[in-house]
């Protein structure tokens, strides 16, 4: 029951990420990608062309904090002393610079990609106490996403199986295209080296093991109920051990393929910005406090800006995210539907008559529960 409850909560917010991917994908149909510069009316005053990180080119914000820690406690320094792209001069003590609040204070400039995500996509409010208004563009896309999910699973495994033939195979084609393009870019070797070269000292950090476990649990879908639900439709004499081994091997190889494709392009991005690959990856975590959205919606789109036919590569990338997201989403919704159908089958058949109606109700309730996630409230 806990797994089903978690799956329901998961469906209400995970589909918002698919909504963002659709939003980005729609914006690739333009003469110029909208996150390439700060010339748009929605850009904030913090947006700076050529700004790639809060600490400016060639410098990591973590280096700034580290340097500040070496100063005496009674010293104060201007932001400009740390080579920051600041819009105004302010002074802060080294003790303040060590705080989490200082990290946000140091963010006196934004790259066009970060500004696009914050000011255009989210239209972020001043704080969590300010709910803001509904983002109507995202609302319509969210509704469209739920319609797609509904028609993916409304007939059960019959409709789901047909959809998966495309959504599960097309991302491999995109990954290969991105990999081929990535390894032809200057600096790609540095990115791949960063991806492959072990940093043994990090094995002593508990967070590394937590992140590794989270990666495996999420990529394999362990304990989310989706695997159990889908396998429940298999034939009774199905060889489940063979399926488990195939799934584990394919998942591991897919993660490696995605890693090569992503870090080859990040290596080029680091080269063009004149910084280390590690700083580019850390920047993703700093921008949005969590590595996933920061990498996918801020750092990676920035890499497309310097590519020829950037709109095509950006479209393929975000369409790939949509395919991957839809797969995870309808698998989680199927957990809820199958559970209700199995445990309350008599009542379902009596009052709803058809599974399509049950799926419609589950999708509609999840849609309503997810509406707060597309308001302007800050996260």
């Amino acid at each position: 029951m806990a797994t089903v409850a978690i799956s329901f909560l998961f469906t209400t917010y995970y589909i918002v990420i698919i909504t963002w991917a659709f939003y980005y994908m729609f914006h690739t149909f333009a003469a110029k990608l909208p996150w390439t510069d700060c010339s748009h009316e929605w850009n904030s005053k913090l947006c700076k062309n050529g700004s790639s990180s809060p600490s400016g080119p060639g410098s990591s914000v973590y280096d700034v904090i580290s340097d500040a820690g070496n100063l005496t406690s009674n010293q104060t320094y201007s932001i400009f002393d740390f080579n920051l792209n600041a819009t105004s001069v302010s002074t802060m003590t080294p003790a303040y610079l060590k705080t989490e609040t200082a990290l946000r204070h140091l963010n006196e400039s934004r790259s066009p990609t970060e500004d696009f995500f914050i000011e255009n996509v989210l239209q972020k409010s001043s704080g969590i106490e300010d709910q803001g208004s509904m983002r109507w563009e995202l609302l319509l896309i969210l509704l469209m996403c739920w319609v797609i999910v509904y028609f993916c699973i409304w007939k059960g495994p019959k409709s789901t199986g047909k959809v998966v033939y495309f959504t599960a195979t097309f991302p491999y084609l995109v990954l290969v295209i991105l990999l081929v393009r990535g390894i032809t870019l200057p600096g790609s070797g540095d990115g791949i080296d960063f991806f492959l070269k072990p940093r043994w000292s990090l094995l002593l950090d508990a967070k590394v093991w937590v992140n590794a476990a989270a990666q495996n649990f999420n990529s394999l879908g362990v304990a989310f109920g989706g695997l159990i639900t889908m396998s429940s439709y298999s034939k009774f004499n199905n060889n489940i051990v063979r399926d488990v081994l195939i799934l584990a091997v394919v998942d591991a190889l897919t993660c490696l393929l995605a890693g090569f494709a992503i870090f080859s392009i990040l290596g080029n991005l680091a080269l063009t910005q004149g910084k280390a690959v590690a700083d580019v990856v850390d920047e993703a975590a700093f921008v949005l406090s969590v590595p996933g959205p920061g990498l996918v919606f801020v750092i990676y789109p920035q890499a497309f800006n310097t590519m020829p036919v950037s709109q095509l590569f950006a479209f393929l990338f975000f369409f790939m995210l949509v395919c991957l997201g839809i797969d995870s989403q309808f698998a989680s919704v199927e957990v809820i539907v199958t559970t209700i159908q199995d445990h309350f089958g008599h009542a379902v058949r009596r009052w709803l008559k058809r599974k399509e109606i049950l799926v419609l109700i589950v999708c509609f309730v999840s849609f309503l529960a997810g509406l707060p996630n597309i308001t302007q409230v800050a996260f």
Side-chain angles (χ1 to χ4, degrees), residues 63 252 348 371:
D63 297 334
V348 170
L371 291 180

Side-chain angles (χ1 to χ4, degrees), residues 315-354:
F315 172 83
L316 290 175
F317 176 73
F318 289 112
F319 187 56
M320 176 188 70
L321 292 182
V322 168
C323 292
L324 294 172
I326 289 292
D327 279 348
S328 299
Q329 182 68 18
F330 69 61
S332 298
V333 176
E334 188 66 49
V335 172
I336 305 168
V337 173
T338 302
T339 301
I340 295 175
Q341 198 171 29
D342 286 353
H343 286 269
F344 309 102
H346 179 72
V348 170
R349 288 188 294 272
R350 179 181 177 185
W351 297 104
L352 301 181
K353 306 299 182 183
R354 299 174 62 88

Side-chain angles (χ1 to χ4, degrees), residues 1-13 223-224 332 336:
M1 294 304 296
T3 297
V4 177
I6 291 173
S7 294
F8 171 73
L9 295 175
F10 177 81
T11 60
T12 64
Y13 71 81
F224 284 98
S332 298
I336 305 168

